Structures are given as structure tokens and as C-alpha cells.
Amino acid sequence: MDILEVIRNRRSDRHFDGRPVARADIDLLIEAFRWAPSSSNRQPWRLIFATSAAARAAYDDALSAGNKAWACAAPVKIVVVGTPEEQPDRNGLHVWLLDAGLALENMLIQGYAMGLTIHAMAGYDEQKILRGFSIPQPFRVAAVVAAGWRGKVESLPEDVRAKDLKPRVRKAAAEFAFADTFGGKL
């Protein structure tokens, strides 16, 4: 048996073809997110889709300079938020963030399998997102996501295009999988 092809081939590309994504396809992304595992099944997450011109502008404004170069073109703009009040920290661990990350990965895999470019980002100004989307405390932003139908890499600015054309490589398992102690050969 091998790992699922969609897991092996999934990429965080940055190119979109500009076509809108139908509500039925967005609903599939939401369903994939919804069915993720969650500690004690608390599901401490929320998704906010930027649909109005004002929300889309707030999303774009909060992006880091590097992400603005390509993510503003995405037809689907998502903010992933969570709250430690619904999934309290345990032993100093931010469990809400793990839960949101697990759900986000479900969405990324589903989107890629559907033929979407779907890219999660950590390059954003959290305060701008919180203000721009009227997100109340104690919610925190876990990630922002840009999605749309795959486009042509040639449409990207040259520096961004180079990132999408780089071969997708991963560390060898021996670099991160250990036995008994950190660094112990498995």
C-alpha cells in the first residue's frame, strides 16, 4: 500500500484562472473541514469567507507583502479562526490551534483533489484581520486561505512563479522520525 496520491501530489501553488468557485464547491470544502478530528469533539473553529468588496479589501490589506503579490487574485478568501475558550489549553499546549490545523489540512486535501489551487498562509497581520472581520475576543486567527481554480503559472510575477516551479521535496524520514530518544535511529 502507498500513501494517497492526493497527499503525495498536493501543492500550495499560487496561480488562479479567475473563474468563480461555485457555492456547491465551497460547501464541499466546508464539509471536509467540518469532519476533521477535534479533541473531545469540541470543534473550536470558525470559517469566515470574504465575499463583499469591503471584506475582500480587508483580507487583502492584512496580507504580508509577499502574499499580496499573488493571493489578492484568489476568488475565494477564507479566514480560519479558533478559540481557546472552546478548547482550553492543556499543559501549556494550544489545543485549539491543533484542532484548527487538522481541519484546515482536510480542506487543503479536499480542495486539491477537486482541482483547486488552495494555499494556507501565516503571512498576515492578525490585528487587521480581527478588526476587518469584527472577530470578537477570545477568537484568534489560525490561518488565512486563498483558493480558486488552478491557473497558469506563467501568469504569476517572476519571483512568485519561481516558487511554484520549484520541485516539491520533503526531508527524508530519517531526519525527523526517531526511536526512543530524539535523534535515535528508527
Side-chain angles (χ1 to χ4, degrees), residues 66-118:
N67 288 333
K68 281 182 184 181
W70 61 271
C72 294
V76 179
K77 300 174 186 217
I78 309 166
V79 179
V80 180
V81 298
T83 172
E85 281 193 1
E86 291 178 13
Q87 189 65 278
D89 291 355
R90 283 187 225 136
N91 303 317
L93 303 175
H94 304 295
V95 181
W96 73 271
L97 194 53
L98 172 63
D99 285 357
L102 292 167
L104 179 54
E105 179 64 7
N106 272 14
M107 180 188 280
L108 296 176
I109 291 170
Q110 178 68 36
Y112 186 83
M114 292 165 58
L116 295 170
T117 285
I118 184 163

Side-chain angles (χ1 to χ4, degrees), residues 46-48 59 77-81 129 133 135 141 143-145:
R46 306 292 190 281
L47 296 174
I48 303 170
Y59 177 100
K77 300 174 186 217
I78 309 166
V79 179
V80 180
V81 298
I129 293 284
F133 289 87
I135 300 169
V141 179
V144 295
V145 180

Side-chain angles (χ1 to χ4, degrees), residues 2-22:
D2 199 6
I3 67 167
L4 298 174
E5 184 177 326
V6 69
I7 293 173
R8 183 179 307 279
N9 293 330
R10 190 207 60 77
R11 292 184 57 99
S12 293
D13 287 328
R14 297 165 183 85
H15 45 86
F16 308 102
D17 75 359
R19 287 181 294 150
V21 177

